[in-house]
Amino acid sequence: MAQVYSSRDGDTVDLVVWRYYGRQDARLTEQVLEANRHLADAGPLLPAGIRIILPDVEHVAEARAGVSLWN
């Protein structure tokens, strides 16, 4: 089940991803942005109180099974 995060003044999507998932990964950030298209309108620094849906890690893991550049 996805969680909902309420932004703090000055948060960035990358910082929210790092706080919630414990790691910074562009694919995680992309999944959060995909689930929250309204974040693009807020700009890079988010104001306090924006509700952000954080997808389940399992759902994100499925999206990570993409192309590998190395064997």
Side-chain angles (χ1 to χ4, degrees):
M1 178 177 216
Q3 296 291 316
V4 177
Y5 173 84
S6 185
S7 66
R8 300 176 194 168
D9 196 37
D11 274 349
T12 63
V13 176
D14 288 333
L15 180 58
V16 171
V17 167
W18 182 81
R19 275 193 200 131
Y20 183 75
Y21 296 105
R23 66 185 189 270
Q24 182 52 48
D25 184 322
R27 293 169 290 205
L28 289 173
T29 300
E30 289 174 14
Q31 287 295 307
V32 170
L33 289 169
E34 182 69 27
N36 299 277
R37 295 185 180 258
H38 63 283
L39 293 177
D41 297 332
L45 294 177
L46 304 173
I50 293 182
R51 293 174 44 91
I52 301 171
I53 297 170
L54 299 166
D56 294 334
V57 173
E58 293 150 12
H59 175 70
V60 173
E62 291 172 9
R64 296 178 66 190
V67 176
S68 176
L69 299 177
W70 298 273
N71 294 333

